[in-house]
Amino acid sequence: MGNDIFVLVEHHDGAVTDPTHELLGKAAELAGESGGRVMACLLGNNARELAEGLGADVVLFVEHPALETFLPEAYVAALGALIAERDPRLVMIANTTVGMDVAGALSARAGRPLVAYCTEIAFEGDTTVATSQVYGGKLNAEVEVSGPAIVSVIAGAFAPADAGLPTLEEVSAPPDLDGLHTEFLARVQPDTSDVDITGEAILVSVGRGIGGQDNIEIAQE
């Protein structure tokens, strides 16, 4: 087991997602403790420009037509090959729809335990200690994993990394990407006309305790 920290770079429509920057911020803190490097894993096709400014020491770029759009099987194959070759101490994935598709299968492929829905991560010697939300956030479980591990992290748990000047290292795509059993058909865009609550600092929720429709104005004020 090495000391490096892997972070899966999640990107959509030519832009890196906010949760990715948050993972890179925490990864930098953990790498400082372990003496390792932050290695951003960028999977794509004609996506080199997304490496610019990432808050990582190294960007491992795997390029292949099968990575043009997100496909769980392709991502697991590419990440699994990187893990087998580089043997990082920790792999960090955002707990998004993309991350949830990847993390479990990657855990099985790499033979490494997964702690999902994480809100905190720390190192104690060779042990990773992670706080995981269970039962829909009703309880926090502190989980200890000896040796290398995979974590999926809830968005907003950590502060984003500052922009950096990482080294770009191109990595050959694994042969598995030439014989996939699934293919990308289409992406259905969600309706974005409503308010994006994930971008709001404060949310106010009302239920039966509000008493009646007229009292909603009190909560609004």
Side-chain angles (χ1 to χ4, degrees):
M1 178 183 71
N3 291 320
D4 294 336
I5 313 295
F6 273 18
V7 172
L8 173 61
V9 177
E10 188 175 327
H11 54 94
H12 301 293
D13 299 326
V16 176
T17 64
D18 290 339
T20 297
H21 295 296
E22 294 167 8
L23 295 186
L24 290 169
K26 184 61 178 180
E29 177 187 325
L30 293 171
E33 298 173 7
S34 68
R37 297 171 297 171
V38 178
M39 310 193 81
C41 301
L42 175 60
L43 315 178
N45 196 41
N46 299 318
R48 288 177 180 82
E49 69 278 1
L50 296 181
E52 297 178 7
L54 287 178
D57 298 304
V58 179
V59 176
L60 302 176
F61 176 50
V62 182
E63 184 172 40
H64 192 277
L67 300 169
E68 178 75 32
T69 53
F70 172 66
L71 189 65
E73 184 186 4
Y75 266 53
V76 170
L79 271 177
L82 285 175
I83 292 171
E85 178 184 350
R86 309 291 178 119
D87 194 25
R89 172 167 184 170
L90 186 67
V91 180
M92 302 180 68
I93 299 172
N95 204 101
T96 58
T97 52
V98 168
M100 286 187 284
D101 265 344
V102 171
L106 183 65
S107 173
R109 181 185 179 107
R112 299 186 175 208
L114 165 67
V115 185
Y117 302 98
C118 290
T119 57
E120 186 53 71
I121 306 163
F123 288 154
E124 294 182 1
D126 291 334
T127 300
T128 299
V129 181
T131 301
S132 172
Q133 288 189 351
V134 294
Y135 296 112
K138 294 180 176 64
L139 294 175
N140 288 331
E142 189 173 275
V143 182
E144 295 185 358
V145 180
S146 297
I150 300 171
V151 294
S152 62
V153 180
I154 292 176
F158 305 122
D162 295 328
L165 294 171
T167 300
L168 178 64
E169 181 180 343
E170 296 192 35
V171 181
S172 298
D176 294 8
L177 293 183
D178 293 321
L180 299 176
H181 298 87
T182 54
E183 63 178 318
F184 178 83
L185 295 180
R187 181 181 176 190
V188 179
Q189 292 282 11
D191 180 10
T192 57
S193 61
D194 205 349
V195 176
D196 179 11
I197 64 173
T198 64
E200 300 300 322
I202 298 174
L203 300 177
V204 178
S205 175
V206 298
R208 293 182 180 179
I210 200 69
Q213 183 74 23
D214 294 340
N215 292 333
I216 291 180
E217 294 183 4
I218 299 172
Q220 290 176 328
E221 292 176 2

